[in-house]
Amino acid sequence: MLIASQAAAQTAPDQTASGQSTTGTAPSQAEPSSTAPSQNQQPYPGTPVQSGPGQSGDPADVAGDGTGQQDVVVRGVRGSLLRSINTKRDAGTIVDAISAEELGKFPNRNVAEALANIPGVTVGRDGRGEGRNVTIRGLGEDFALTTLNGRILPTDSAGRAFAFDVLPSEVISGAEVQKAVQSSQLEGSIGGGIDLRTARPFDHRGFHAAGSIEGQYNQFAKKGGFKASGVASTTFANDTMGILISGTYNKYKFRTDNLGEYSATDTFDLATVDGQRTVVAAPDGGGVIVPYFYSVGYVVGERQRWGGSAAYQWKPSDRFEFRLDGLYSNYTDLEQNHRVSVGLTPLDDDGNVRWDLNSVKVDSNKVATNYTVNNATIDVLGTDEPRRSITYQVGGHIDWNPVDPFKVAADVYYGKATNDTGGQNRFVVAGVPGSRAVVATREGGIPDLLLTIPNADGTIGTRTLEQAGNDDLRAHYIGIQGENISDRTQGAKLDLEYEVDNGTLKSLSFGGAYTDRRKQVDAIDNQYTTAQNFGGYPFAFSAIGANVVQPPEVTGILPKLSGDFTRNIPIFDIDTYLSSLSKAENNPNVLNPNTGLPYPTGYATQQIVPDLLASYLIKEKTWNGYFQFNLEGKRWRGDIGGRFVSTKVDSLGYGTTVRSYVVVGVGTANVVLNPIAPITGGGDYTRLLPSANFAYDLADGLKLRLAASQAISRPTFGQLSSAVDYSAAQSNTPVVTDAGNPNLKPVSADQADISLEYIPNNRLAITAAAFYKHLTNFVTTQAVPFVLVPTNQVAGAPTSFQFTEVKYVNGDSAKVYGVEVGGQYFLDNGLGVQANATYNHSTQTLGGASAGSLAGAVPFSANAKIFYEKHGINASVSYQFQSRFEVGPALYINTLRDKQDPYHELAASVAYDILPQLTVYVQGSNLLDSAVKRFATYRNVPSFYEYTGRAFFFGLRARM
């Protein structure tokens, strides 16, 4: 946030909507380095300023600074947009930014959705109504580096991508997306670097405080929520010291309905033999397209988020400043998932045809559009999906100017993120075998699905799933899993600048950075112990005298969709399900079908143990050094330099080898594995990453920018694991899969940017940019044949076998290019508009062949906002649009592509200052009641559908 006094103004004033004048770009004592124009920079009239939390009513107001002078403040949406465009204009390279509307009030409901207002940025939603991750210029979250105050943020997931939902938006005061590269910046992003900024006490001189209380209501869930937040800052000791503290708490409930699975497969085909239809295998694909499973249901849950930030600043003189700041976030997400799932393939597990072949209809795309499945098994699923994330970071920073031509900046930090849910995710299944399913596809919607369960004598009549009870549902699968994840980041950075001022060479920047990251993933589950103890539907719950099945908790699933499918499903409580299984132990009326004997004591106890084969530890250390020549002429400025990067990776995974291997039949082998043992590995790489930036003032307010650079994005941590998995051998599948490759190199990119910025005054800004990226060294898989030699083979069996190892290697490539346009304009009557649009096109090569566009790359996106700020009223309506895009290949059919339909998001807010320091407000999100819809190439082959409903927020905000 920018602070300036009228006495310091260097440019002509420009009248604001309220008839007052705003000052120019001259710096105050608060921001000497970021706001001061260089000697030959062309200052722009009408640069907005901000001082204190202020009112949300009129866009400009005057407040005293305690010295007899007056500060001009610009607040609300207009102030946020003006500060963002100032950041873009004053940056050394191509940057877009967002800013808090006032102290403690960040735009949008969370950080990810606020970033979506930036050209070229699209938000990925978490399926529960919140933005979670971002895609920048067509490149997914793995190609972005997220930092906080310039420091790498740890993540609570197994990868590098930062999940923005863990951060309360109130603790962030601004964010920048760096779309081009300077050598002085940390490397690690190709799509763009995202730097979040926490508030600091010198942003607002003197004492300031703000707080809010908010109620929340989700129309679909018919549940409410509560949020409270506050922030206070003060400066003292003649404004040489300052402290800021913020805190927030939020708790709310939600509901999501979805088509969770419609995974198409084409491994079966229809043929006519002796004049009759039959089913034949199509192991290489090309058969009729049918769903492997069809699953609909709903998720209900509760989220709790609390945290805060703190900052201390000390600036005893213009030559020295010290900052200490930290952030803490505690995020808990508890979800229960209830759904019905039906396997619809034409053969049962024994190879018997279960389709009514006379009922099958197939369209011209080989999609099976109508068919009946006899002897189907209807599964009722219940899952617990907790997420318990704690993220914190603390760091110190020094800016020092020991002598006039020499400047020093030093920074050191430590951060950690944890998500301890190992052995806490529960996926439990009960089923009704011997049922019937009748399927009829629908163009652009999910198929009709009529489910009928058997009578007590096994015959099929008219009983629906909604009527199922303890006599019908039978015990089956119990999956308990989860990961304990720990990500520790620490680093230090030293930046030096020597002012030369010798002709066009103005200064030389150089320095270095060190980062040390440690990502540990410990899987804990019952996958290899007790998950299948009751597999195969051995008994109904009534047979053991257990009352497990409950009537539908939620009725009318997916109300926005027409069609005839299961909308009311019976459910069960997982704790009740698991505790009831002990009644099967030593029960003579319930026999284990595998042994013909009663289940022994302790058989129902779930053994949840470490799963070493899915666990790993990655240590990554990086040393950086850079140099940068900063150049400037009469109407231009630029920089050219290079960054030297050296990275070392140490990987610890686990694996086993085959002790003996005896084939006993098709799809079956007796395999004895050696004990699991650690597998260590590692790799290293060095890169020199050059960059150049150039800006030219074509006229007052009109700037041309050019940028070129080489950049890298590192492999995900999972891709660096050294673990090896031989488990497929147990089903006589001669494939070994590597979890990753610790010697992988980063994805590299050659990239170029050009932009044009027209910012003649503080009312109008128009920008346009074009970009091009050529990426190489994408991580891909490669099948490598090898000879498996068991270490202690059974006598008389073959001593070796032809196997294939699936390795991770660098090799594929992609190209991305596009254009961005944006603008904003403020009228004198309090109205303002802001809009932007982005078009990007991508192509990728996989295994040497063209493979369409990059997954997740949205070809076209647009944002628009209209707002009014005057007379104590602050109202806005914002709209976001994402065009259809390719999510990736279909799960089981590589020739089909999952595509997501266009998405529209409309939000609105109205606030009124009932007192200068007190505001009431109402906001609404997803006002169009939009849903996420995906299909696999053909409109009658859905792949995913998700509906979350509208949400409303109402509250009271006070400030001092």
Side-chain angles (χ1 to χ4, degrees):
M1 300 179 184
L2 305 179
I3 304 176
S5 68
Q6 290 181 339
Q10 294 180 342
T11 60
D14 188 51
Q15 289 299 107
T16 68
S18 62
Q20 297 166 340
S21 62
T22 57
T23 63
T25 57
S28 74
Q29 187 180 14
E31 298 284 355
S33 60
S34 63
T35 61
S38 63
Q39 184 177 356
N40 293 318
Q41 269 185 259
Q42 293 292 325
Y44 297 88
T47 300
V49 294
Q50 169 98 2
S51 178
Q55 301 168 212
S56 62
D58 294 346
D61 194 13
V62 178
D65 65 357
T67 64
Q69 297 178 336
Q70 289 181 322
D71 287 349
V72 179
V73 296
V74 181
R75 305 182 176 96
V77 175
R78 175 180 173 175
S80 172
L81 294 175
L82 288 171
R83 288 188 297 277
S84 298
I85 206 68
N86 280 343
T87 299
K88 180 180 183 70
R89 183 183 60 193
D90 297 336
T93 186
I94 299 173
V95 168
D96 281 297
I98 51 176
S99 174
E101 295 178 12
E102 54 184 280
L103 183 67
K105 185 176 184 294
F106 200 61
N108 293 79
R109 302 307 308 174
N110 67 34
V111 179
E113 292 174 359
L115 289 168
N117 293 305
I118 291 177
V121 178
T122 54
V123 62
R125 303 185 182 278
D126 65 352
R128 311 296 181 254
E130 280 196 33
R132 181 172 180 177
N133 49 58
V134 297
T135 294
I136 304 175
R137 288 182 164 179
L139 294 171
E141 56 183 349
D142 289 329
F143 293 94
L145 177 69
T146 303
T147 56
L148 178 70
N149 298 325
R151 304 155 185 158
I152 296 175
L153 273 168
T155 64
D156 73 328
S157 67
R160 296 181 188 272
F162 185 75
F164 290 91
D165 57 356
V166 304
L167 288 185
S169 60
E170 289 79 7
V171 303
I172 303 298
S173 68
E176 293 184 9
V177 177
Q178 299 157 339
K179 296 180 176 178
V181 174
Q182 287 183 296
S183 296
S184 55
Q185 298 171 348
L186 283 177
E187 82 298 332
S189 65
I190 294 177
I194 303 170
D195 186 37
L196 309 176
R197 184 184 185 273
T198 55
R200 298 167 184 165
F202 285 179
D203 292 343
H204 310 276
R205 297 289 174 141
F207 176 78
H208 298 278
S212 67
I213 299 176
E214 178 180 280
Q216 304 173 344
Y217 180 76
N218 183 280
Q219 184 185 39
F220 188 44
K222 298 181 181 180
K223 300 288 185 180
F226 170 81
K227 180 167 72 170
S229 63
V231 57
S233 70
T234 186
T235 58
F236 51 93
N238 294 322
D239 281 348
T240 63
M241 293 187 185
I243 295 176
L244 180 146
I245 299 175
S246 73
T248 181
Y249 175 82
N250 183 204
K251 185 176 183 179
Y252 67 98
K253 298 180 183 294
F254 62 87
R255 169 187 166 188
T256 299
D257 287 8
N258 56 54
L259 168 70
E261 186 176 22
Y262 193 88
S263 304
T265 179
D266 62 351
T267 57
F268 304 96
D269 208 350
L270 297 175
T272 301
V273 179
D274 296 331
Q276 292 187 337
R277 268 185 165 182
T278 186
V279 176
V280 296
D284 296 325
V288 292
I289 298 172
V290 297
Y292 194 81
F293 281 98
Y294 184 151
S295 170
V296 294
Y298 62 92
V299 179
V300 291
E302 180 179 270
R303 287 179 169 173
Q304 179 178 272
R305 181 189 290 114
W306 61 277
S309 66
Y312 167 77
Q313 280 183 280
W314 177 45
K315 189 174 182 180
S317 70
D318 289 339
R319 292 185 177 272
F320 183 86
E321 179 180 351
F322 170 71
R323 298 194 300 269
L324 179 67
D325 55 76
L327 178 144
Y328 177 86
S329 171
N330 189 309
Y331 177 58
T332 301
D333 181 8
L334 303 177
E335 302 181 7
Q336 292 81 43
N337 192 336
H338 301 283
R339 64 184 57 254
V340 56
S341 179
V342 188
L344 298 175
T345 51
L347 303 181
D348 63 20
D349 292 340
D350 295 326
N352 300 313
V353 176
R354 58 179 186 166
W355 277 10
D356 179 353
L357 296 179
N358 294 323
S359 71
V360 180
K361 295 181 181 179
V362 180
D363 67 12
S364 59
N365 297 317
K366 295 202 72 174
V367 177
T369 61
N370 298 78
Y371 52 97
T372 298
V373 183
N374 296 307
N375 196 28
T377 299
I378 302 173
D379 283 329
V380 175
L381 316 178
T383 68
D384 285 339
E385 303 171 6
R387 180 177 169 207
R388 296 182 174 89
S389 173
I390 295 177
T391 303
Y392 65 88
Q393 188 183 81
V394 61
H397 184 91
I398 291 175
D399 288 319
W400 183 33
N401 182 202
V403 292
D404 283 338
F406 196 66
K407 296 178 181 178
V408 180
D411 194 275
V412 62
Y413 69 94
Y414 178 91
K416 190 173 183 179
T418 59
N419 182 14
D420 295 329
T421 54
Q424 299 177 44
N425 288 272
R426 304 190 294 184
F427 177 85
V428 181
V429 183
V432 187
S435 300
R436 175 186 293 157
V438 180
V439 181
T441 66
R442 300 169 59 86
E443 191 72 15
I446 69 174
D448 290 338
L449 177 66
L450 300 179
L451 299 177
T452 310
I453 64 174
N455 299 315
D457 61 1
T459 60
I460 294 292
T462 60
R463 297 182 68 218
T464 66
L465 178 64
E466 188 174 350
Q467 298 172 276
N470 292 299
D471 291 334
D472 304 290
L473 283 171
R474 306 172 74 88
H476 183 46
Y477 180 78
I478 303 167
I480 302 177
Q481 56 186 342
E483 297 170 329
N484 290 336
I485 298 173
S486 172
D487 187 11
R488 187 262 293 153
T489 59
Q490 58 186 14
K493 185 179 181 183
L494 180 66
D495 296 295
L496 308 172
E497 182 178 356
Y498 184 76
E499 295 182 357
V500 179
D501 200 14
N502 182 12
T504 60
L505 179 60
K506 293 301 177 182
S507 65
L508 173 64
S509 300
F510 55 98
Y514 170 74
T515 59
D516 182 354
R517 193 164 187 176
R518 184 182 187 274
K519 174 79 75 170
Q520 184 167 353
V521 177
D522 293 325
I524 302 174
D525 55 48
N526 69 340
Q527 180 179 357
Y528 302 108
T529 56
T530 56
Q532 297 281 4
N533 272 14
F534 295 99
Y537 314 95
F539 54 82
F541 292 111
S542 61
I544 59 173
N547 183 20
V548 173
V549 183
Q550 304 170 15
E553 175 187 23
V554 170
T555 58
I557 297 171
L558 296 170
K560 286 177 64 69
L561 283 181
S562 60
D564 193 354
F565 53 87
T566 302
R567 297 181 185 269
N568 308 315
I569 60 176
I571 63 172
F572 54 79
D573 174 74
I574 293 179
D575 288 331
T576 303
Y577 182 123
L578 297 181
S579 63
S580 72
L581 295 178
S582 63
K583 297 181 179 180
E585 297 174 354
N586 301 310
N587 188 335
N589 298 319
V590 180
L591 302 181
N592 185 339
N594 296 319
T595 65
L597 300 174
Y599 295 101
T601 301
Y603 192 83
T605 302
Q606 296 303 306
Q607 298 177 26
I608 306 167
V609 298
D611 185 353
L612 293 179
L613 295 177
S615 304
Y616 56 85
L617 169 64
I618 309 296
K619 297 179 181 180
E620 183 179 79
K621 296 182 179 181
T622 299
W623 296 262
N624 296 314
Y626 76 91
F627 63 92
Q628 182 174 296
F629 298 99
N630 303 306
L631 313 171
E632 192 170 332
K634 184 176 182 180
R635 300 186 65 87
W636 64 273
R637 57 181 171 141
D639 61 73
I640 185 171
R643 189 174 191 88
F644 180 79
V645 181
S646 177
T647 299
K648 185 178 187 302
V649 175
D650 290 310
S651 174
L652 171 63
Y654 298 87
T656 184
T657 55
V658 174
R659 179 179 177 87
S660 64
Y661 187 94
V662 180
V663 178
V664 296
V666 177
T668 307
N670 289 334
V671 182
V672 178
L673 300 176
N674 288 307
I676 296 174
I679 302 174
T680 59
D684 58 76
Y685 51 86
T686 58
R687 293 288 189 274
L688 177 61
L689 305 174
S691 67
N693 295 272
F694 175 79
Y696 186 79
D697 293 320
L698 300 171
D700 286 351
L702 182 63
K703 185 187 296 291
L704 172 71
R705 293 185 189 268
L706 302 172
S709 65
Q710 290 183 343
I712 61 172
S713 285
R714 293 182 169 87
T716 66
F717 290 106
Q719 291 172 340
L720 294 172
S721 171
S722 55
V724 178
D725 184 6
Y726 276 80
S727 61
Q730 293 176 307
S731 60
N732 197 20
T733 303
V735 175
V736 175
T737 303
D738 292 352
N741 178 359
N743 201 34
L744 286 173
K745 303 301 185 281
V747 180
S748 301
D750 298 324
Q751 49 191 24
D753 297 79
I754 181 172
S755 75
L756 194 64
E757 303 166 4
Y758 180 57
I759 313 174
N761 52 52
N762 70 334
R763 287 184 174 84
L764 175 66
I766 300 174
T767 62
F771 58 89
Y772 172 82
K773 301 176 186 290
H774 180 208
L775 291 76
T776 57
N777 272 346
F778 265 103
V779 177
T780 187
T781 57
Q782 185 179 72
V784 179
F786 77 102
V787 177
L788 172 70
V789 179
T791 60
N792 191 6
Q793 180 64 313
V794 175
T799 58
S800 64
F801 301 86
Q802 292 295 324
F803 261 63
T804 299
E805 183 172 8
V806 179
K807 293 179 172 290
Y808 284 81
V809 297
N810 294 104
D812 293 329
S813 62
K815 294 181 181 179
V816 182
Y817 57 88
V819 293
E820 302 167 348
V821 294
Q824 56 193 50
Y825 184 69
F826 310 120
L827 287 76
D828 290 340
N829 60 5
L831 285 172
V833 294
Q834 182 251 353
N836 61 66
T838 302
Y839 168 80
N840 82 73
H841 180 75
S842 63
T843 59
Q844 63 176 326
T845 301
L846 300 178
S850 177
S853 60
L854 284 172
V858 180
F860 179 77
S861 60
N863 303 281
K865 182 191 294 284
I866 183 170
F867 58 91
Y868 176 83
E869 293 178 320
K870 202 168 186 180
H871 305 303
I873 300 173
N874 186 327
S876 68
V877 177
S878 60
Y879 170 76
Q880 294 180 356
F881 171 77
Q882 294 180 10
S883 67
R884 180 176 297 164
F885 68 94
E886 188 172 295
V887 179
L891 182 60
Y892 296 115
I893 308 178
N894 289 331
T895 56
L896 299 187
R897 315 298 292 184
D898 270 351
K899 300 180 180 182
Q900 182 164 307
D901 271 349
Y903 186 84
H904 308 261
E905 172 78 21
L906 183 69
S909 67
V910 177
Y912 180 69
D913 292 340
I914 56 179
L915 294 172
Q917 293 80 29
L918 194 64
T919 300
V920 293
Y921 64 88
V922 177
Q923 300 175 338
S925 64
N926 193 23
L927 296 179
L928 295 177
D929 216 15
S930 298
V932 175
K933 306 175 185 178
R934 296 176 188 165
F935 62 94
T937 299
Y938 307 121
R939 298 293 303 180
N940 61 347
V941 185
S943 61
F944 184 74
Y945 184 96
E946 194 165 60
Y947 174 67
T948 58
R950 301 180 180 94
F952 298 94
F953 314 89
F954 44 92
L956 183 70
R957 179 174 174 80
R959 53 197 162 269
M960 300 175 60

